[in-house]
Every structure is written in structure tokens, then in C-alpha cells.
Amino acid sequence: PGTVNGCCDMAEYLNTPLTDETIAKLSVGDVVYLSGLVYTARDAAHKRLVEMLAKGEKMPFDFQGQVIYYAGPCPAKPGMVIGSVGPTTSGRMDAYAPRLIENGLKAMIGKGLRDDEVKKAIVKNGGIYFAAIGGAAALMSQCVKEAEVIAFNDLGTEAIRRLRVENLPLVVAVDSKGADIYLKN
């Protein structure tokens, strides 16, 4: 795979759902282009998901091998699938992420540092954390080919959406071994 420093000449092209084998091959700094289904969810939706897990309720989607994109898309303009869809600061989800990872979630997309509990859950469960390009929400929206609200419609932009993306540009920020791009020298 390509790296941020080596740029994108050998980027990895991945499709969801992600497998343990695919994730294990990736290292911090690798550039990837992700295609397939991803799910948007921010802090309000995460809180509800964790509450539902605690009650033993059925989840709105199967977490196994799946990816959550920490984003609250803007409304779509006429003729568009979705509005701007940039990453939200991931730390807002740190209180909830370990529980979802323990229940099969494989990857998260966001921006910024993750706390130690999230990184421990990533390593223990063979997960990964991708950084998306902050400030380029309009560009990111061009990678979304389909969008559908699947849960918590009352949360508006924070509702859970199923997106079909093509070649969403990402960088591995925390790999399955626990290396962290934000803590590199």
C-alpha cells in the first residue's frame, strides 16, 4: 500500500465488508480507497446503539465487518445523492466505540485522536481506524453513490445512513497493531 509520505502511487483499494486478513495487512499511514457500504453515525446515534445493545435489542445493521463513518451529512441539493459529508471529530464517539467494536464493528472513519480504550479495543478485536480528509466535505460527497436513512430519522443529520461509496480516500490512522499516526514522530 502507499503511504502519506510516499503518496498514493501504490494505494490499496478495499471493498466492504472488511475482513481480518485485509485489515491485518494495513499499516499506519497507508492510503486506501474504500468502496462498498458504510454507515454514518455520530454521538447521538452511538449513544442509542449502545443503549440498544445493553437492552439486547436488534441493531439497525449487522456490525460484522462493517464500517462506521463519523459524519452528519448536509441535505442533498437537487440532483445530488447527498450533501457535503465530511468527517466529525472522532473523540466524541470514544465513550461508545469500544462496545461497538466488541460487537463486530471493524472500522471507523473520522478525524483526530482516539483514546486508549478505543485503541485497546481495535487491537483486541482486529479493527482499524481511518482518517478522512477534514475540510473537504464537498469532495467526499462525490464518492457517495447512494444514501438511505436506516435508523433514528428523528436525529436529522445525525440519523444512521447507509451509504454506497466508491473510492472514498482515507489514511490508516490507527492500525490493528495499535500504531497511531497522530503519535508518530
Side-chain angles (χ1 to χ4, degrees):
T3 64
V4 172
N5 294 334
C7 198
C8 311
D9 55 332
M10 294 179 57
E12 188 77 28
Y13 288 81
L14 304 178
N15 290 297
T16 64
L18 299 177
T19 65
D20 291 339
E21 296 77 23
T22 297
I23 290 170
K25 293 177 188 175
L26 298 172
S27 298
V28 158
D30 286 351
V31 174
V32 301
Y33 290 95
L34 186 66
S35 296
L37 297 179
V38 300
Y39 297 86
T40 64
R42 289 180 42 165
D43 38 334
H46 274 69
K47 181 177 188 231
R48 285 194 189 172
L49 289 171
V50 169
E51 289 169 349
M52 291 171 70
L53 281 170
K55 294 176 185 172
E57 295 176 5
K58 184 175 177 2
M59 294 292 98
F61 66 96
D62 182 2
F63 294 151
Q64 301 306 310
Q66 296 304 327
V67 180
I68 288 183
Y69 183 13
Y70 300 149
C74 293
K77 292 183 179 178
M80 302 295 292
V81 172
I82 200 165
S84 295
V85 62
T88 297
T89 302
S90 300
R92 294 174 165 166
M93 277 54 72
D94 284 355
Y96 311 108
R99 183 75 193 271
L100 302 184
I101 296 166
E102 290 165 4
N103 280 276
L105 182 67
K106 279 297 176 189
M108 298 146 291
I109 302 169
K111 66 179 181 182
L113 293 164
R114 303 312 302 267
D115 74 15
D116 288 338
E117 294 306 310
V118 173
K119 290 190 277 189
K120 287 177 189 173
I122 286 170
V123 171
K124 180 181 177 187
N125 297 284
I128 198 160
Y129 169 55
F130 295 111
I133 304 164
L139 172 66
M140 302 295 274
S141 70
Q142 294 175 19
C143 298
V144 178
K145 304 306 177 188
E146 294 175 11
E148 174 188 8
V149 173
I150 63 164
F152 314 144
N153 195 39
D154 62 302
L155 294 178
T157 61
E158 289 201 38
I160 295 178
R161 286 172 174 73
R162 179 176 41 237
L163 307 180
R164 186 177 60 78
V165 300
E166 287 182 10
N167 297 325
L168 186 67
L170 306 168
V171 174
V172 175
V174 177
D175 66 25
S176 63
K177 297 164 265 330
D180 186 335
I181 199 167
Y182 296 104
L183 302 178
K184 286 185 107 176
N185 294 332

PDB file of all heavy atoms in Angstrom, residues 1-11 29-31:
ATOM      1  N   PRO A   1       0.817  -1.194   0.000  1.00  0.00           N
ATOM      2  CA  PRO A   1       0.000   0.000   0.000  1.00  0.00           C
ATOM      3  C   PRO A   1       0.859   1.255   0.000  1.00  0.00           C
ATOM      4  O   PRO A   1       1.968   1.241   0.490  1.00  0.00           O
ATOM      5  CB  PRO A   1      -0.801  -0.105   1.278  1.00  0.00           C
ATOM      6  CG  PRO A   1      -0.740  -1.531   1.689  1.00  0.00           C
ATOM      7  CD  PRO A   1       0.517  -2.073   1.106  1.00  0.00           C
ATOM      8  N   GLY A   2       0.310   2.322  -0.506  1.00  0.00           N
ATOM      9  CA  GLY A   2       1.012   3.595  -0.489  1.00  0.00           C
ATOM     10  C   GLY A   2       0.924   4.229   0.880  1.00  0.00           C
ATOM     11  O   GLY A   2       0.103   3.860   1.702  1.00  0.00           O
ATOM     12  N   THR A   3       1.794   5.176   1.157  1.00  0.00           N
ATOM     13  CA  THR A   3       1.761   5.868   2.432  1.00  0.00           C
ATOM     14  C   THR A   3       1.588   7.351   2.192  1.00  0.00           C
ATOM     15  O   THR A   3       1.776   7.830   1.080  1.00  0.00           O
ATOM     16  CB  THR A   3       3.056   5.637   3.229  1.00  0.00           C
ATOM     17  OG1 THR A   3       4.136   6.208   2.498  1.00  0.00           O
ATOM     18  CG2 THR A   3       3.314   4.160   3.462  1.00  0.00           C
ATOM     19  N   VAL A   4       1.252   8.067   3.244  1.00  0.00           N
ATOM     20  CA  VAL A   4       1.075   9.507   3.133  1.00  0.00           C
ATOM     21  C   VAL A   4       2.376  10.140   2.651  1.00  0.00           C
ATOM     22  O   VAL A   4       2.380  10.953   1.758  1.00  0.00           O
ATOM     23  CB  VAL A   4       0.634  10.109   4.487  1.00  0.00           C
ATOM     24  CG1 VAL A   4       0.637  11.616   4.416  1.00  0.00           C
ATOM     25  CG2 VAL A   4      -0.734   9.593   4.871  1.00  0.00           C
ATOM     26  N   ASN A   5       3.497   9.735   3.229  1.00  0.00           N
ATOM     27  CA  ASN A   5       4.781  10.307   2.833  1.00  0.00           C
ATOM     28  C   ASN A   5       5.189   9.867   1.440  1.00  0.00           C
ATOM     29  O   ASN A   5       5.815  10.607   0.706  1.00  0.00           O
ATOM     30  CB  ASN A   5       5.868   9.955   3.839  1.00  0.00           C
ATOM     31  CG  ASN A   5       5.628  10.599   5.182  1.00  0.00           C
ATOM     32  OD1 ASN A   5       4.986  11.635   5.257  1.00  0.00           O
ATOM     33  ND2 ASN A   5       6.112   9.987   6.234  1.00  0.00           N
ATOM     34  N   GLY A   6       4.854   8.626   1.071  1.00  0.00           N
ATOM     35  CA  GLY A   6       5.176   8.117  -0.248  1.00  0.00           C
ATOM     36  C   GLY A   6       4.083   8.409  -1.252  1.00  0.00           C
ATOM     37  O   GLY A   6       4.137   8.002  -2.386  1.00  0.00           O
ATOM     38  N   CYS A   7       3.079   9.114  -0.810  1.00  0.00           N
ATOM     39  CA  CYS A   7       1.887   9.500  -1.552  1.00  0.00           C
ATOM     40  C   CYS A   7       1.096   8.291  -2.004  1.00  0.00           C
ATOM     41  O   CYS A   7       1.082   7.281  -1.339  1.00  0.00           O
ATOM     42  CB  CYS A   7       2.185  10.456  -2.694  1.00  0.00           C
ATOM     43  SG  CYS A   7       0.656  11.277  -3.213  1.00  0.00           S
ATOM     44  N   CYS A   8       0.444   8.411  -3.102  1.00  0.00           N
ATOM     45  CA  CYS A   8      -0.621   7.469  -3.435  1.00  0.00           C
ATOM     46  C   CYS A   8      -0.287   6.537  -4.585  1.00  0.00           C
ATOM     47  O   CYS A   8      -1.177   5.938  -5.163  1.00  0.00           O
ATOM     48  CB  CYS A   8      -1.883   8.247  -3.788  1.00  0.00           C
ATOM     49  SG  CYS A   8      -2.294   9.501  -2.586  1.00  0.00           S
ATOM     50  N   ASP A   9       0.961   6.411  -4.947  1.00  0.00           N
ATOM     51  CA  ASP A   9       1.297   5.619  -6.119  1.00  0.00           C
ATOM     52  C   ASP A   9       0.949   4.143  -5.968  1.00  0.00           C
ATOM     53  O   ASP A   9       0.767   3.462  -6.958  1.00  0.00           O
ATOM     54  CB  ASP A   9       2.775   5.804  -6.490  1.00  0.00           C
ATOM     55  CG  ASP A   9       3.731   5.494  -5.357  1.00  0.00           C
ATOM     56  OD1 ASP A   9       3.336   5.655  -4.189  1.00  0.00           O
ATOM     57  OD2 ASP A   9       4.868   5.108  -5.648  1.00  0.00           O
ATOM     58  N   MET A  10       0.858   3.660  -4.764  1.00  0.00           N
ATOM     59  CA  MET A  10       0.534   2.258  -4.538  1.00  0.00           C
ATOM     60  C   MET A  10      -0.591   2.133  -3.516  1.00  0.00           C
ATOM     61  O   MET A  10      -0.537   1.309  -2.629  1.00  0.00           O
ATOM     62  CB  MET A  10       1.776   1.500  -4.072  1.00  0.00           C
ATOM     63  CG  MET A  10       2.856   1.424  -5.125  1.00  0.00           C
ATOM     64  SD  MET A  10       4.324   0.564  -4.549  1.00  0.00           S
ATOM     65  CE  MET A  10       3.660  -1.013  -4.067  1.00  0.00           C
ATOM     66  N   ALA A  11      -1.591   2.948  -3.629  1.00  0.00           N
ATOM     67  CA  ALA A  11      -2.702   2.920  -2.687  1.00  0.00           C
ATOM     68  C   ALA A  11      -3.415   1.576  -2.754  1.00  0.00           C
ATOM     69  O   ALA A  11      -3.416   0.897  -3.777  1.00  0.00           O
ATOM     70  CB  ALA A  11      -3.674   4.051  -2.988  1.00  0.00           C
ATOM     71  N   GLY A  29      -0.486   5.079   8.129  1.00  0.00           N
ATOM     72  CA  GLY A  29      -0.010   5.892   7.017  1.00  0.00           C
ATOM     73  C   GLY A  29      -0.395   5.372   5.655  1.00  0.00           C
ATOM     74  O   GLY A  29      -0.282   6.097   4.668  1.00  0.00           O
ATOM     75  N   ASP A  30      -0.861   4.124   5.572  1.00  0.00           N
ATOM     76  CA  ASP A  30      -1.281   3.590   4.277  1.00  0.00           C
ATOM     77  C   ASP A  30      -2.468   4.387   3.748  1.00  0.00           C
ATOM     78  O   ASP A  30      -3.378   4.747   4.497  1.00  0.00           O
ATOM     79  CB  ASP A  30      -1.702   2.118   4.377  1.00  0.00           C
ATOM     80  CG  ASP A  30      -0.537   1.161   4.536  1.00  0.00           C
ATOM     81  OD1 ASP A  30       0.623   1.591   4.395  1.00  0.00           O
ATOM     82  OD2 ASP A  30      -0.797  -0.029   4.799  1.00  0.00           O
ATOM     83  N   VAL A  31      -2.442   4.653   2.465  1.00  0.00           N
ATOM     84  CA  VAL A  31      -3.552   5.315   1.785  1.00  0.00           C
ATOM     85  C   VAL A  31      -4.454   4.235   1.210  1.00  0.00           C
ATOM     86  O   VAL A  31      -3.978   3.286   0.595  1.00  0.00           O
ATOM     87  CB  VAL A  31      -3.035   6.233   0.656  1.00  0.00           C
ATOM     88  CG1 VAL A  31      -4.190   6.806  -0.161  1.00  0.00           C
ATOM     89  CG2 VAL A  31      -2.180   7.351   1.241  1.00  0.00           C
TER      90      VAL A  31
END
